[in-house]
Amino acid sequence: MKIRSVGIVGAGQMGSGIAHVFAMAGFDVMLSDVAQPNLDAAIASIDRNIERQVAKGKTTATEKADALGRIKTTLQLSDLGPLDLIIEAATEREAVKDAIFKDLAPHLAPHTILTTNTSSISITRLASRTDRPEKFMGFHFMNPVPIMQLVELIRGIATDKDTFDTLLAVVAKLGKTSASAEDFPGFIVNRILMPMINEAVYTLYEGVGSVKSIDESLKLGANHPMGPLELADFIGLDTCLAIMNVLHDGLADTKYRPCPLLTKYVEAGWLGRKTKRGFYDYRGEVPIPTR
Ligand code: NAD
């Protein structure tokens, strides 16, 4: 099946990045959210990010204008129904995702492929509550989407070969690389990455190191481009906590228990860069460690 039109649910950091790369690759995009300011912010951020690529000579002003012209926004989820492919990129809560697929159901065209950008929730379980588990897949982009090369493709137990092959072709058209992962909590990237971030938070919680020394240690001692706490702020601490909870519940092993300090930051509403405070305070000129 050839995909031409793509609906994206959720215009947060992932949804806007996904809209950006699909529009640049020539797909028609419809971006939806529950609040108009989120849609406006998403378009403004896509505009800024493509402008940066223009400034670097990676694309042209004409290509930018064409791409922005291919993105439409809506507050009506039903507008996405007739499109070829839907990518759900809303908040990482199973009840939110279930409600979205339920609300979409009466409006879907028979050929529409449903996907979710979930970082950790069971694809098979989400698929089982839709009318088309065979046309349902995990389509996991990395953050920031325009920069990161990998897309994880996760088949649920019922996903058919046509759906998988269609998404393989879409990833190729985006100029990205796919890795196939089995449908177990966290798939590949987050199964490995999140326990490392959680361990960095424990290291901070137990006073082994400060925010600065932990991040510097991993940057200079393990050659990571970003420290784990800086990366956690970048991903969003609510998303990190949600993924740890999925690993903990889904794999039933105490080694995945979320650090109480991570929970405390989320309770404070200090969710990282998106709220301007997390393990660093981003409200000034330069990020300042908060511990
Ligand atoms: P975010 O908080 O930046 O954005 C979520 C958006 O979803 C918000 O704009 C919110 O208004 C919207 N939303 C909530 N309920 C909705 C509904 N019913 N209908 C439409 N929109 C709704 O979150 P994010 O970081 O963009 O994460 C989105 C998804 O992508 C999550 O499933 C997350 O696990 C996954 N993901 C995140 C990252 C990351 O690094 N942040 C990486 C890969 C995958």
Side-chain angles (χ1 to χ4, degrees), residues 9-15 32-34 38 88-92 96-97 100 117-119 140-143 234-236 238-239 243 274:
V9 187
Q13 41 180 352
M14 294 307 289
S32 80
D33 204 287
V34 285
N38 297 351
E88 175 280 310
T91 313
E92 183 74 346
V96 170
K97 296 182 186 299
I100 289 168
N117 187 46
T118 179
S119 303
H140 186 217
F141 288 83
M142 309 293 135
N143 187 17
F234 193 74
I235 293 168
D238 52 341
T239 300
I243 298 170
K274 62 184 168 187

Side-chain angles (χ1 to χ4, degrees), residues 41-62:
I43 296 296
S45 113
I46 295 168
D47 190 320
R48 263 194 322 273
N49 290 337
I50 306 184
E51 188 55 42
R52 212 171 292 141
Q53 293 177 316
V54 174
K56 285 185 189 157
K58 290 189 175 158
T59 188
T60 65
T62 314

Side-chain angles (χ1 to χ4, degrees), residues 2 8 11 32 42 62 87 95 99 104 111 113 118 142 161 172 183 200 202 217 235 252:
K2 193 151 169 56
I8 299 162
S32 80
T62 314
I87 305 169
L104 270 170
H111 74 283
I113 292 179
T118 179
M142 309 293 135
K161 186 171 180 310
D183 182 22
Y202 268 112
S217 297
I235 293 168

